[in-house]
Amino acid sequence: MSAKAITDLSQLCIHTITTKPWNIEEAVKRFSQAGVKGITVWRDALEKRNVQDTGGMIRDHGMDIVSLCRGGFFCGTTRESRRAAIDDNRRAIDEARELGTNLVVLVCGADPNQSLEDSRNQIQDGIASLVPHAESANVRLAIEPLHPMYADTRSAINTLRQANDMASAIGSRYVGVAVDVYHLWWDPELQSEITRCGMNNHLFAFHICDWKVPTVDLLLDRGIMGEGCIPVKKIRGWVEGAGFAGYNEVEIFSTTHWKSDQGEFLSRIIDAYKNNS
Ligand code: ZN
């Protein structure tokens, strides 16, 4: 199924990290003025702020809070570090509820001092142990697979198949997956695994940006849609074909774009959203 052209901003969400030089108050003001309807809040944007009041401020601007980024980082070689990680994820769930969103995105973690299998087991145990707290807070958890170049320290979950398998193994309607085109565009199983997500009703989030050629930094060189080689529109078609009707979330970490005028950057994002997504 191919995606319909985007004609309005009703499904556009932008992550606070995308315009990192702006604090959350500035980002909310500028996004809402530009007609952006959704925002995903990174936890660092909430530092030194009352979370509930910040949620109210966002809603007062007529915007939906799509998710809180990010929980996760479950892996560690000691029981203490793993327990501390689970405690921090409980706090993330509480923050999401206070903020007024029902989704926490998980960057699951990895520890190069142990095998990937051990890390994956710890991730699954960690998420499973959070399910009762997530249910009582009515906050869902989305496993976000990360590109394999991050398998050393950021995530031992590197394909959508692994994320789908884990969500199914945990078997709670509060646990699903986030599809980020930056991490998954290369995967020959992407289309079939997106279809599987939809059949399992656990496709919770869709993140977009682009893969620049050449990419000069493993973390901070993401592109605006159309700047690189990811077929964003094609993947959006698969996601929508799987029944996803949520926000298209623009998540760009880029030292290059952060150095530019953020107002112009926001205009470019909106233009690229309409024409290259
Ligand atoms: Zn993402």
Side-chain angles (χ1 to χ4, degrees):
M1 184 182 298
S2 85
K4 285 202 190 89
I6 288 171
T7 53
D8 62 52
L9 304 185
S10 61
Q11 279 177 278
L12 173 59
C13 165
I14 302 180
H15 286 223
T16 55
I17 194 87
T18 296
T19 54
K20 193 179 175 198
W22 284 342
N23 64 28
I24 191 164
E25 291 80 12
E26 180 80 10
V28 167
K29 194 174 83 187
R30 303 291 285 264
F31 291 177
S32 66
Q33 278 170 358
V36 179
K37 293 295 175 205
I39 188 167
T40 275
V41 176
W42 278 56
R43 287 179 82 191
D44 63 278
L46 295 171
E47 266 168 36
K48 302 196 184 93
R49 283 164 177 81
N50 178 297
V51 176
Q52 232 166 334
D53 291 350
T54 306
M57 179 272 292
I58 297 171
R59 280 184 293 279
D60 287 346
H61 282 78
M63 296 181 77
D64 287 334
I65 306 169
V66 179
S67 68
L68 181 69
C69 268
R70 57 198 183 183
F73 292 98
F74 295 103
C75 306
T77 53
T78 66
R79 193 178 295 266
E80 293 69 36
S81 65
R82 297 196 296 274
R83 197 171 294 151
I86 288 170
D87 288 344
D88 188 55
N89 278 281
R90 283 208 186 87
R91 283 194 291 278
I93 290 168
D94 293 339
E95 275 176 33
R97 183 177 40 88
E98 287 166 29
L99 188 65
T101 179
N102 66 356
L103 182 63
V104 171
V105 175
L106 302 176
V107 170
C108 292
D111 189 323
N113 299 305
Q114 64 187 16
S115 71
L116 286 167
E117 290 76 15
D118 284 346
S119 287
R120 288 173 192 139
N121 289 334
Q122 291 169 3
I123 291 165
Q124 187 164 329
D125 291 348
I127 297 171
S129 75
L130 289 171
V131 167
H133 194 68
E135 281 178 7
S136 69
N138 195 30
V139 171
R140 301 166 303 151
L141 305 171
I143 302 168
E144 178 169 3
L146 260 53
H147 191 283
M149 69 180 169
Y150 301 119
D152 53 352
T153 55
R154 287 176 190 273
S155 185
I157 308 297
N158 308 106
T159 65
L160 188 54
R161 177 194 280 267
Q162 288 174 325
N164 276 333
D165 285 348
M166 192 169 286
S168 295
I170 294 168
S172 163
R173 66 191 175 89
Y174 281 85
V175 178
V177 304
V179 168
D180 185 324
V181 300
Y182 186 78
H183 297 300
L184 301 176
W185 68 279
W186 56 273
D187 184 351
E189 292 189 327
L190 184 56
Q191 183 177 11
S192 57
E193 290 296 321
I194 285 174
T195 303
R196 184 179 159 207
C197 277
M199 284 175 359
N200 292 336
N201 285 319
H202 69 210
L203 178 42
F204 290 172
F206 180 50
H207 297 175
I208 59 175
C209 67
D210 212 339
W211 183 282
K212 285 169 74 175
V213 184
T215 287
V216 299
D217 187 284
L218 293 183
L219 190 63
L220 301 176
D221 193 35
R222 294 189 182 202
I224 304 173
M225 299 75 72
E227 268 192 308
C229 61
I230 298 179
V232 177
K233 187 174 180 184
K234 184 165 149 188
I235 299 173
R236 180 169 66 81
W238 297 343
V239 164
E240 290 173 0
F244 182 81
Y247 278 95
N248 303 307
E249 304 182 40
V250 178
E251 182 189 37
I252 300 171
F253 330 129
S254 163
T255 40
T256 308
H257 289 305
W258 288 336
K259 272 188 235 155
S260 70
D261 178 281
Q262 296 300 283
E264 284 170 24
F265 179 37
L266 177 59
S267 301
R268 286 185 64 191
I269 289 171
I270 290 172
D271 193 55
Y273 178 67
K274 288 178 179 160
N275 296 305
N276 303 316
S277 310

